[in-house]
Amino acid sequence: MPVRSGTQLSRKLGQKKQRLLEAEQHQSPPDGNPTPSSKEPRLGLGPQRSIYFSSPGDPPARLGLDFFDQPAVPLARAFLGQVLVRRLDDGTELRGRIVETEAYLGPEDEAAHSRGGRQTPRNRGMFMKPGTLYVYFIYGMYFCMNVSSQGDGACVLLRALEPLGGLETMRQLRNSYRKGSTGRALKDRELCSGPSKLCQALAIDKSFDQRDLTTDKAVWLEHSPPGPREPAVVAAARVGIGNAGEWSQKPLRFYIQGSPWVSVVDRVAEQNTQV
């Protein structure tokens, strides 16, 4: 009995060792890297890139030429909800969701700087490829930022943002332009509620004129994740348009209804908006 018992034990240990070796060989390919089990989830190639992405080296949500290459009116609407990003020299990123825009249709539009096909060094950005910035100086003290669209001389004015990130820096930048009014701190809703205000809050000046939003490293547009429901968009007359005949009343300003960040609310136009 003792001899046979020892033999059986030796045989069992040998069989167990053989099974372990076979299991290791089954789990590992010749190069020694483990093979995932069929029950384990397989990793794919990663999320598919949107058609709006410019190139693999861009920030993952950056909007590219395909987004900007559309007529001014649909582009003005498409801008609503997207996120404008400004990276300062020290690396600080300022972010704001676009809530108000205006469309300028080009040579036919009597309120556009390109009316009648007029081309000057000042408005050259309006005639460059879609996604090009057109930044101009008004009243000797303010800047306004536009983005060229499809069609010569057509563009979209960015009128208001909902501040999302870097609010204290925005407040400091805005305060640096406020002469004689340093006593009261600006409320959040006052930071970017107007085309010149948002330029001040993001430190946008004439040096940004003719820059390309699809490639620039200091300013770009990101796709905003979809919300729980599509917001209602109000179409109203543009602000501050005079001596433009019927174009003064055309509903070419667009804003998100109910947003507290909008610069000017048009109650009459809102009554005609379908929610």
Side-chain angles (χ1 to χ4, degrees):
M1 282 292 293
V3 174
R4 190 164 58 183
S5 176
T7 302
Q8 290 176 345
L9 179 61
S10 177
R11 185 183 299 115
K12 287 182 178 180
L13 288 172
Q15 291 173 348
K16 183 176 182 181
K17 184 176 181 180
Q18 182 64 28
R19 286 197 299 270
L20 289 173
L21 288 173
E22 290 176 354
E24 290 177 358
Q25 291 174 356
H26 176 72
Q27 292 177 359
S28 300
D31 61 2
N33 294 324
T35 301
S37 167
S38 60
K39 295 182 180 180
E40 294 176 352
R42 294 182 178 272
L43 298 179
L45 298 177
Q48 294 183 349
R49 296 184 65 82
S50 163
I51 61 171
Y52 296 143
F53 294 175
S54 295
S55 69
D58 286 327
R62 183 174 191 144
L63 294 175
L65 180 60
D66 285 347
F67 173 82
F68 299 105
D69 192 12
Q70 52 183 314
V73 170
L75 180 61
R77 286 178 169 273
F79 266 125
L80 298 177
Q82 311 306 339
V83 177
L84 184 66
V85 184
R86 167 78 167 96
R87 179 178 291 157
L88 303 179
D89 291 342
D90 65 359
T92 301
E93 289 191 357
L94 311 176
R95 295 172 178 269
R97 181 178 291 110
I98 299 171
V99 297
E100 183 181 0
T101 60
E102 287 181 354
Y104 290 85
L105 308 189
E108 65 177 312
D109 189 341
E110 289 296 321
H113 290 175
S114 57
R115 58 188 176 276
R118 177 183 313 175
Q119 295 189 46
T120 66
R122 179 188 187 230
N123 73 356
R124 185 170 181 267
M126 300 180 76
F127 293 87
M128 296 174 70
K129 77 168 190 174
T132 301
L133 289 181
Y134 168 44
V135 180
Y136 60 85
F137 198 46
I138 59 171
Y139 306 133
M141 59 190 306
Y142 299 123
F143 293 98
C144 291
M145 178 167 53
N146 303 258
V147 183
S148 66
S149 66
Q150 192 180 96
D152 281 347
C155 69
V156 175
L157 171 67
L158 304 184
R159 280 201 57 90
L161 305 176
E162 173 191 350
L164 299 176
L167 274 68
E168 288 311 310
T169 300
M170 291 183 185
R171 211 179 318 274
Q172 293 173 14
L173 287 166
R174 287 274 286 113
N175 282 333
S176 68
Y177 290 95
R178 300 172 69 208
K179 297 180 180 179
S181 56
T182 57
R184 184 181 67 84
L186 287 170
K187 298 178 181 179
D188 290 353
R189 61 181 176 81
E190 297 175 305
L191 293 176
C192 303
S193 57
S196 297
K197 291 178 182 179
L198 73 85
C199 283
Q200 291 178 352
L202 301 183
I204 298 291
D205 57 22
K206 188 65 175 177
S207 69
F208 283 81
D209 186 44
Q210 300 180 25
R211 291 200 190 188
D212 187 347
L213 272 182
T214 68
T215 60
D216 199 88
K217 298 184 182 301
V219 62
W220 64 87
L221 199 69
E222 291 183 355
H223 184 64
S224 179
R229 64 183 181 87
E230 194 73 18
V233 174
V234 179
R238 294 172 292 190
V239 177
I241 302 299
N243 302 320
E246 63 178 343
W247 289 90
S248 299
Q249 299 303 317
K250 287 186 178 293
L252 294 173
R253 180 168 68 99
F254 306 97
Y255 66 86
I256 296 177
Q257 185 169 15
S259 170
W261 318 98
V262 170
S263 66
V264 179
V265 172
D266 189 323
R267 298 298 183 191
V268 175
E270 288 189 357
Q271 292 177 1
N272 299 323
T273 300
Q274 295 182 355
V275 180

